[in-house]
Amino acid sequence: MCLGIPGKIIKIADVEKKLAIVEISGVKRQVNISLIVNDEHPPETCVGEWVLVHVGFAMNRINEKEAAETLHLLQELASNEIC
Amino acid sequence: MKYVDEFRDPQKAEALIWQIEKLCHLLETPIKIMEVCGSHTHAIFKYGIEEILPKAIELIHGPGCPVCVMPKGRLDDAIAISQNPNVIFATFGDAMRVPGSQTTLLQAKTQGADIHTVYSPLDSLKIAKANPDKEVVFFALGFETTAPATALTILEAAAENINNFSVFCNHILVIPALQALLNHPQLQLHAFIGPGHVSTVIGTDPYQLICQQYRKPIVISGFEPLDILQSIWMLLRQLVENRCEVENQYHRLVDKAGNQTAIATMNKVFEVRENFPWRGLGQIPDSGLKIRSEYAQFDAENKFTIPNLLVADHKACQCGNILKGLVKPWECKVFGTACTPETPIGTCMVSSEGACAAYYKYNRLVRTGKNKVTT
Amino acid sequence: MNNSLLNSLWQKKEQLRHRCTQLHDTNITLAHGSGGKAMHDLITDVFVSNFDNPILWQLEDQATFDLASFLSQGDRLALTTDSYVVDPLFFPGGDIGELAVNGTVNDLAVSGAKPLYLTCSVILEEGLPVEILRRIVNSMQAAARQAGVQIVTGDTKVVHRGAADKLFINTTGIGVIPAGISISAYNIQPTDVVIVNGELGNHGTAILISRGELALETQIESDCQPLNSLVETILDVCPEIHAMRDATRGGLATVLNEFAFSSNVAIRIYEQCIPIREEVKSVCEILGLDPLYLANEGKLVVVVGRENADKVLSVMRSHPAGKNACIIGEVISSPPKIVLLKTIFGTERIVDMLVGDQLPRIC
């Protein structure tokens, strides 16, 4: 129901309108980052962050630590360390 | 692609399958797991996940496909709006081939309706700004993942005083749908694979009632094959250990509280409808979103006269029972004969996430036991 | 053609060039299709001067050929026609003119024919800038030169503003098939091997992006190129090719389904073997498209007996149009008329015929 793809914010296109440029494996698109910014986390701080992109909006930040932990767990399962 | 390819690693998949097999031996009974979200259904078929799971696990494909659950009457309303001579109708591509009572948006386009496919609701607002003499209507559909995007688009239209733009709102909510399913007497399920992207918005807390009230474990899952397999593994562990919890496999994007900004934005623009019709599930209370009166000027249901009829499904159509997981697509009498992707009778055959379309497109050959391809 | 005839034709050409007025109009008008001087000037200044060959300079109503010249090159004629209506007219990696030549050249080439001559019929929308038309005709000539074909006759029509989308082109091509070559979708046998000459989906993606509505930015370019030289190279080492097609509209999946249907076989392809550029994969993930159905304009699907696969692959890789050639699958006996994809997980699914156009989706 929800096609979403991870992308990296490479530039802020418009601070006031909360628009950023996201890159997904060489493909760039402008996305609206209203859903992931606030006073503690203004647009300028988003450059370099990975986000989930859905219908032209950044939905959430990808937690890189959690992603690494999930992969680590899967690797442990593959090495048979967890039963 | 980062955060995608790593979660498609075949070696890790093999390891997960082995772990799943061990747990199946411990359980000793067949297990029925429903994936709620249509994008999970699509991924399951794209990667042939059913084929590599042990025979003891049956995947049941649920109603989390907003196109599949779109009732004919609402499609008729959308088509009626699009046929207004001064209207530019903007829609996601998914809706173009969905059959209404008489026709589809695609056919209406060939007959002269000015219909554009868009990737984002913001693109429809751009069209409105570029065509001030036309009325632009955006066909909003989808669950809580997509509703915030529509809400933000309406807020932007309001801020910029765009008066030739409106939204035909058909956003629906996941939890009421799950409750409606679970209230059905014939439904037999052990567990749920929960919708990952809806949960980026609503968080994991709302699913607690599924566990508490209905005693079904649920794992919120990402959409890559390893995510789905890991979620199945986590569900089986719960069943083996007699636990019934909401667990989160999709940690990298989902947390307990969800996205508070998205929730607040949705609440600002939308209110919950008392009832909303779902194909195959009937009227479900508190399950649909409506645009609040403060934004009435952006509500297409105010601007346009629409038929607003409840239209029954075709008699032969089993989409309702398929969406509830009571019937398999190939058990429907018209599957693959009168109802094909080319001549769909029901929405499950039209949508790329529909169970019928998936079985027909990917896996319709003679089955021996468990969807094995005979060669 | 003997020397005195050639001299006479070139003299005629020079006379015509002196008589022909250069076209100064900035936009196409209905007069350019009405048969009078405006049309004559358009044809000679834009088309004939560019395509520039002795047959065309005769300015007859038809092109004529000495049959003996065909018979010396083969024992069958191949004839094909195609119309080109692509929007936008200019896209990364090519334009409608290049497409109109290469598309028809390739349809001839995949039969094993040596493409020789093309026609060029255009339908122009009133108001089309002449400069646009010149650019496109220049592209056609450059493509024709690269492919080694001549554009020898044509037609020009102009319709009212709104009755056509800027410009439509039809090209019909004729070629000669050498004796002993028999390539057909009906020849495919179990154990045959399927080879493609490079990355798939570039053209379809480039067109989609260049329309601008999706607001995606990429470096992807169309793969538009003539394939006749590559085909000739293949047939030189292996005249016994079973089947060949260029994977245009509907992509690889459509060609393979057509092959499976015609020869009543199954074709199994391997996901990890199919060459697709990262950006194309990315666009497909964003929009929910399947790259197997995206159009190509310079990609060949070759089906060859297993015993010849290595040498065909090797010779393809030695040619500029085939340097990324690879084996992507094999032919099996059943289930008949079905194309199967073996995923990276080792599971199998059907690759069905496309129903309608692929549309971007959010679900």
Side-chain angles (χ1 to χ4, degrees):
Chain A
M1 66 180 74
C2 328
L3 206 58
I5 181 117
K8 184 174 177 175
I9 295 177
I10 57 170
K11 198 166 102 177
I12 303 300
D14 190 323
V15 170
E16 207 184 296
K17 289 193 173 171
K18 299 183 184 137
L19 297 170
I21 306 293
V22 141
E23 181 164 359
I24 301 158
S25 285
V27 180
K28 292 181 194 159
R29 199 193 197 269
Q30 187 178 88
V31 299
N32 185 302
I33 55 172
S34 301
L35 297 175
I36 62 161
V37 297
N38 52 35
D39 292 333
E40 286 112 46
H41 222 117
E44 302 84 348
T45 61
C46 297
V47 178
E49 291 183 325
W50 281 83
V51 293
L52 180 78
V53 179
H54 172 68
V55 301
F57 287 80
M59 299 302 298
N60 257 0
R61 275 180 195 77
I62 296 178
N63 187 321
E64 303 195 35
K65 187 164 154 287
E66 294 283 3
E69 272 179 28
T70 303
L71 287 169
H72 182 68
L73 172 69
L74 294 176
Q75 186 55 51
E76 282 183 347
L77 280 173
S79 329
N80 222 0
E81 284 171 35
I82 297 181
C83 300
Chain B
M1 281 177 291
K2 197 173 170 182
Y3 297 119
V4 170
D5 292 341
E6 311 94 302
F7 294 91
R8 294 181 182 177
D9 180 354
Q11 273 187 319
K12 293 193 177 73
E14 214 179 298
L16 275 167
I17 290 292
W18 187 64
Q19 298 287 347
I20 287 169
E21 279 171 355
K22 285 203 297 186
L23 291 170
C24 280
H25 284 313
L26 291 174
L27 285 165
E28 291 178 345
T29 56
I31 301 295
K32 293 185 187 219
I33 297 175
M34 176 181 274
E35 90 275 359
V36 177
C37 176
S39 299
H40 281 138
T41 309
H42 192 260
I44 284 163
F45 280 95
K46 186 175 166 185
Y47 294 101
I49 287 177
E50 273 187 311
E51 204 182 311
I52 48 175
L53 287 173
K55 285 191 173 57
I57 298 178
E58 185 184 339
L59 290 180
I60 300 190
H61 312 299
C65 160
V67 171
C68 300
V69 299
M70 177 83 58
K72 268 194 190 164
R74 293 298 281 182
L75 232 313
D76 291 345
D77 294 341
I79 294 167
I81 295 171
S82 78
Q83 287 169 332
N84 270 278
N86 200 39
V87 160
I88 298 177
F89 194 79
T91 175
F92 297 128
D94 315 62
M96 287 294 274
R97 289 199 192 94
V98 179
S101 310
Q102 309 289 332
T103 186
T104 65
L105 283 167
L106 193 63
Q107 283 161 353
K109 185 174 164 58
T110 63
Q111 282 152 12
D114 193 354
I115 300 174
H116 293 225
T117 43
V118 292
Y119 164 71
S120 169
L122 289 174
D123 297 339
S124 65
L125 193 57
K126 265 194 217 146
I127 296 174
K129 290 186 218 176
N131 294 275
D133 297 334
K134 294 275 188 178
E135 277 295 320
V136 175
V137 181
F138 172 63
F139 189 11
L141 54 87
F143 284 84
E144 290 94 328
T145 326
T146 321
T150 305
L152 279 168
T153 306
I154 289 174
L155 289 173
E156 189 168 316
E160 296 184 32
N161 285 317
I162 312 290
N163 56 18
N164 64 325
F165 175 75
S166 59
V167 171
F168 181 47
C169 183
N170 291 275
H171 285 302
I172 44 182
L173 305 172
V174 151
I175 302 291
L178 285 177
Q179 286 177 287
L181 262 182
L182 286 161
N183 288 335
H184 196 283
Q186 284 176 279
L187 188 75
Q188 288 175 4
L189 280 181
H190 294 97
F192 285 104
I193 298 172
H197 289 154
V198 163
S199 306
T200 64
V201 174
I202 69 174
T204 60
D205 276 342
Y207 301 97
Q208 291 297 344
L209 74 88
I210 305 294
C211 287
Q212 285 153 17
Q213 204 173 323
Y214 299 96
R215 305 302 302 156
K216 305 284 179 203
I218 179 163
V219 171
I220 307 302
S221 175
F223 294 86
E224 297 305 328
L226 292 188
D227 291 321
I228 296 169
L229 289 172
Q230 187 186 4
S231 299
I232 293 172
W233 174 68
M234 290 165 73
L235 283 169
L236 293 179
R237 281 184 78 174
Q238 286 206 40
L239 292 172
V240 164
E241 293 164 14
N242 267 317
R243 286 184 287 122
C244 183
E245 293 166 13
V246 178
E247 285 190 289
N248 182 5
Q249 181 278 334
Y250 205 18
H251 276 292
R252 61 193 187 272
L253 269 163
V254 173
D255 58 39
K256 272 184 81 197
N259 184 324
Q260 293 297 315
T261 309
I263 293 170
T265 309
M266 277 169 56
N267 288 337
K268 183 169 180 172
V269 175
F270 299 122
E271 60 191 4
V272 177
R273 295 180 198 257
E274 211 176 299
N275 275 300
F276 196 68
W278 289 56
R279 189 171 187 126
L281 296 172
Q283 295 278 1
I284 301 182
D286 304 324
S287 68
L289 293 178
K290 179 179 158 47
I291 297 170
R292 285 187 188 275
S293 55
E294 299 92 287
Y295 299 99
Q297 74 266 38
F298 300 110
D299 188 343
E301 288 176 80
N302 288 342
K303 271 188 170 175
F304 298 94
T305 313
I306 52 175
N308 202 20
L309 299 170
L310 288 171
V311 180
D313 294 331
H314 193 286
K315 268 190 261 184
C317 180
Q318 286 286 303
C319 277
N321 286 326
I322 288 167
L323 287 166
K324 290 196 276 279
L326 301 175
V327 163
K328 291 289 187 204
W330 62 86
E331 290 168 352
C332 171
K333 288 199 173 69
V334 291
F335 173 78
T337 52
C339 188
T340 65
E342 227 170 331
T343 55
I345 290 178
T347 45
C348 295
M349 188 57 92
V350 171
S351 166
S352 54
E353 302 191 321
C356 298
Y359 272 110
Y360 186 91
K361 199 170 133 55
Y362 293 128
N363 211 359
R364 67 177 175 276
L365 300 178
V366 173
R367 288 168 193 78
T368 50
K370 222 181 124 48
N371 298 345
K372 290 268 181 275
V373 168
T374 51
T375 57
Chain C
M1 204 180 271
N2 65 42
N3 275 342
S4 76
L5 182 57
L6 203 54
N7 284 337
S8 135
L9 278 169
W10 282 116
Q11 270 171 20
K12 196 170 179 185
K13 171 195 163 178
E14 288 306 307
Q15 284 161 12
L16 276 164
R17 274 203 328 130
H18 287 302
R19 259 210 326 260
C20 158
T21 324
Q22 207 179 14
L23 191 70
H24 293 295
D25 301 301
T26 53
N27 294 80
I28 297 293
T29 67
L30 292 173
H32 290 113
S34 64
K37 185 164 188 311
M39 180 164 160
H40 174 85
D41 289 347
L42 173 74
I43 290 172
T44 48
D45 188 37
V46 175
F47 292 98
V48 178
S49 303
N50 267 300
F51 296 151
D52 196 21
N53 59 73
I55 303 175
L56 197 52
W57 274 115
Q58 292 180 68
L59 284 175
E60 299 282 9
D61 281 346
Q62 70 289 122
T64 56
F65 309 99
D66 189 347
L67 273 178
S69 72
F70 290 142
L71 289 168
S72 67
Q73 299 180 76
D75 59 3
R76 280 151 295 157
L77 286 178
L79 177 70
T80 188
T81 190
D82 227 325
S83 296
Y84 299 87
V85 298
V86 70
D87 173 47
L89 297 179
F90 302 94
F91 44 84
D95 61 37
I96 189 174
E98 212 182 310
L99 265 189
V101 169
N102 289 333
T104 296
V105 160
N106 292 346
D107 279 347
L108 290 172
V110 295
S111 70
K114 179 177 161 61
L116 294 172
Y117 303 108
L118 258 48
T119 70
C120 168
S121 289
V122 296
I123 297 176
L124 308 174
E125 186 188 10
E126 180 191 15
L128 178 75
V130 171
E131 203 38 55
I132 299 278
L133 181 61
R134 281 192 202 279
R135 268 177 72 185
I136 289 167
V137 171
N138 285 344
S139 276
M140 291 184 78
Q141 174 51 14
R145 195 179 308 120
Q146 189 190 2
V149 298
Q150 292 180 64
I151 302 169
V152 293
T153 189
D155 181 63
T156 306
K157 294 284 184 299
V158 180
V159 295
H160 284 283
R161 199 181 295 275
D165 185 13
K166 299 184 277 296
L167 162 72
F168 298 147
I169 306 179
N170 171 278
T171 51
T172 297
I174 194 164
V176 182
I177 305 174
I181 301 292
S182 169
I183 300 174
S184 159
Y186 294 89
N187 286 347
I188 298 168
Q189 307 289 331
T191 75
D192 282 358
V193 167
V194 183
I195 304 174
V196 296
N197 65 317
E199 288 172 340
L200 297 168
N202 291 4
H203 177 80
T205 310
I207 296 291
L208 199 55
I209 304 291
S210 64
R211 288 200 183 124
E213 293 154 352
L214 298 164
L216 293 171
E217 198 188 305
T218 73
Q219 305 296 315
I220 301 167
E221 292 192 346
S222 168
D223 61 343
C224 185
Q225 62 174 347
L227 294 169
N228 51 327
S229 164
L230 176 63
V231 170
E232 234 178 275
T233 309
I234 294 170
L235 294 176
D236 277 345
V237 304
C238 182
E240 312 84 22
I241 292 292
H242 289 170
M244 231 181 340
R245 239 173 230 181
D246 56 338
T248 52
R249 276 196 178 182
L252 171 74
T254 300
V255 169
L256 293 179
N257 271 282
E258 287 169 351
F259 280 169
F261 197 87
S262 298
S263 287
N264 202 39
V265 293
I267 299 177
R268 178 192 283 133
I269 54 176
Y270 295 85
E271 185 172 18
Q272 73 252 38
C273 297
I274 299 169
I276 300 170
R277 200 183 192 112
E278 275 306 303
E279 292 109 298
V280 170
K281 282 187 196 168
S282 188
V283 169
C284 289
E285 293 281 345
I286 294 166
L287 300 176
L289 303 176
D290 187 338
L292 298 183
Y293 296 98
L294 289 176
N296 307 274
E297 287 292 340
K299 290 296 167 312
L300 206 53
V301 184
V302 182
V303 181
V304 62
R306 189 164 284 266
E307 65 284 4
N308 291 319
D310 285 342
K311 76 176 171 193
V312 167
L313 184 65
S314 173
V315 85
M316 284 175 78
R317 285 179 174 167
S318 70
H319 191 285
K323 52 186 196 299
N324 296 317
C326 52
I327 294 175
I328 61 163
E330 65 213 346
V331 181
I332 51 181
S333 55
S334 72
K337 301 186 172 58
I338 293 285
V339 178
L340 298 166
L341 176 87
K342 195 135 197 134
T343 70
I344 52 176
F345 296 104
T347 53
E348 265 186 355
R349 61 174 173 85
I350 296 174
V351 179
D352 211 356
M353 273 294 236
L354 191 60
V355 173
D357 274 333
Q358 278 200 102
L359 293 169
R361 54 189 182 89
I362 66 135
C363 294

